[in-house]
Amino acid sequence: MSQDWERSYDFKQQDLEQLSELVEPVFGERRVVSAQPLSAGNINTNYKIEVEDEPEPFVLRLYERGATVCRQERELYELVHGRVPVPELLYADPDSSQPYSLSRWVEGDGLGVALSKAGAAQADELGYSVGATLARIGSFQFERPGFFGPGLQIYQPFGTTPQFFLGFIENCLFQKGADARLGPALADRLWQFVRDQIGYIEAIAHERRLVHSDYNATNLLMREGKVVAVLDWEWSHAGTPLTDIAILLRFSDRLPAAFEPAFLRGYAEEGGLLPPEWRRTYRLLDLMNLCEFLTRPDRGDTRNQDCLNLIKHTIENWANL
């Protein structure tokens, strides 16, 4: 799964003194006594830290993409924490020279680890909770689809026609270099494919619900069969929940058979709705993500090869979806 993908940015090494200075607004003169780098996540730097005289650990997060992302995650926490399980946010400083946040540690396994330990009954329970949690995320609506600005106002609207989708794919392929990694034959085949299938996007182009946009196994902490924390909200926007379903089910062939039906049941019973032909629609939507990944700086072969394989799989198995 995508937890095996290479990091997009270098990890920011911090010593105990540097970390102690960052937590001073919360803990005063008490020092950080241990710090464990956390490997989950491909962009930001996260440490599990212990502080003098504190019985429980914390997570200190350094933002690679700056103040805007730090501020957005703080605002999203304030919006969702009463309805969606998220770690308690103790402090966030988007205005620091190194924007960062401090939250309580949540004990649990990533979804991938939890599923690896699970039998059929446990996979059913996990799937149900993941589906119900996603429906609760999508219960928040905004005035229009797009990326968030200050105050979670939409500052960069999305187009609400299938042509927006086509334009995004075309830009990734032929302006930002994804075609070089796909090769000319597959790039042309993909471009023809999305133009032929563009009608599926019509049903979801106007949706304006909260999308986590990184709803994968790494960012879902599980304990006793339930989601106990949804992590890493930096890519969130207003749009269609099918984006999150696409990310979650991207490697559906590697999931236990009981997981997907339980996920769909939990999603529906918590109020989530699916459009007609939702399987084809989410696969088509995910091509946007896969093409965007192929435009990023190369940090290894795993991510790129997975993207190539997934694109081929969608095209070659379309009739069976």
Side-chain angles (χ1 to χ4, degrees):
M1 295 188 183
S2 57
Q3 65 255 34
D4 299 321
W5 290 2
E6 301 83 3
R7 285 186 61 88
S8 298
Y9 295 89
D10 293 330
F11 197 91
K12 293 182 181 297
Q13 299 294 335
Q14 303 282 298
D15 60 29
L16 295 183
E17 185 61 32
Q18 290 170 308
L19 294 172
S20 294
E21 290 177 6
L22 292 175
V23 304
E24 187 174 332
V26 177
F27 297 113
E29 294 183 359
R30 285 181 289 165
R31 315 309 290 167
V32 174
V33 295
S34 73
Q36 174 188 345
L38 298 175
S39 59
N42 295 323
I43 295 178
N44 300 302
T45 292
N46 298 295
Y47 282 95
K48 179 183 179 181
I49 63 171
E50 294 183 343
V51 179
E52 284 179 316
D53 301 325
E54 288 291 330
E56 302 292 333
F58 304 88
V59 174
L60 193 142
R61 177 173 174 85
L62 307 174
Y63 289 90
E64 181 66 41
R65 296 172 57 235
T68 299
V69 175
C70 180
R71 185 174 293 107
Q72 176 176 301
E73 287 207 323
R74 182 180 65 188
E75 291 171 346
L76 283 167
Y77 169 80
E78 292 168 355
L79 175 70
V80 308
H81 76 275
R83 183 158 175 75
V84 178
V86 288
E88 182 183 354
L89 181 66
L90 301 176
Y91 185 77
D93 187 355
D95 299 318
S96 170
S97 58
Q98 168 57 72
Y100 71 100
S101 65
L102 181 70
S103 59
R104 293 194 185 277
W105 172 261
V106 177
E107 196 65 48
D109 288 327
L111 176 60
V113 174
L115 285 172
S116 72
K117 301 176 180 178
Q122 292 78 21
D124 181 279
E125 188 177 13
L126 292 166
Y128 186 93
S129 181
V130 170
T133 300
L134 181 57
R136 289 194 289 273
I137 291 172
S139 67
F140 297 94
Q141 294 200 57
F142 299 86
E143 71 272 18
R144 53 184 172 172
F147 288 117
F148 298 126
L152 300 182
Q153 299 299 306
I154 303 300
Y155 90 99
Q156 186 177 336
F158 293 163
T160 55
T161 67
Q163 282 63 44
F164 175 81
F165 168 85
L166 278 181
F168 185 92
I169 295 281
E170 183 178 26
N171 187 49
C172 287
L173 284 177
F174 304 118
Q175 301 297 322
K176 294 187 175 180
D179 57 336
R181 287 178 173 158
L182 289 168
L186 182 56
D188 289 343
R189 185 182 181 192
L190 172 61
W191 179 231
Q192 185 60 57
F193 174 80
V194 295
R195 286 183 292 171
D196 290 344
Q197 307 301 335
I198 192 61
Y200 289 100
I201 299 298
E202 189 71 50
I204 51 86
H206 290 79
E207 290 199 53
R208 49 190 176 85
R209 298 182 180 275
L210 178 59
V211 179
H212 181 275
S213 204
D214 205 7
Y215 201 71
N216 63 42
T218 302
N219 290 330
L220 297 171
L221 286 185
M222 317 299 296
R223 189 172 66 244
E224 298 178 356
K226 302 293 191 296
V227 178
V228 292
V230 182
L231 310 176
D232 292 4
W233 292 75
E234 70 175 287
W235 298 104
S236 297
H237 61 269
T240 172
L242 275 188
T243 297
D244 283 331
I245 294 176
I247 293 165
L248 181 72
L249 300 182
R250 181 177 287 153
F251 298 98
S252 57
D253 58 330
R254 306 181 195 179
L255 295 170
F259 180 85
E260 185 176 315
F263 164 78
L264 295 172
R265 190 172 71 255
Y267 185 70
E269 290 183 7
E270 195 64 29
L273 300 175
L274 294 172
E277 297 283 2
W278 66 274
R279 291 184 188 276
R280 287 188 169 184
T281 306
Y282 91 68
R283 290 286 186 182
L284 201 60
L285 270 176
D286 201 35
L287 293 176
M288 295 178 72
N289 288 322
L290 299 175
C291 285
E292 196 277 330
F293 289 140
L294 291 173
T295 69
R296 295 185 184 181
D298 197 357
R299 289 296 184 109
D301 295 333
T302 304
R303 180 189 64 198
N304 291 341
Q305 191 58 55
D306 275 348
C307 290
L308 290 173
N309 292 340
L310 288 162
I311 289 169
K312 290 177 184 177
H313 183 272
T314 295
I315 296 172
E316 292 169 359
N317 292 276
W318 190 250
N320 300 321
L321 294 176

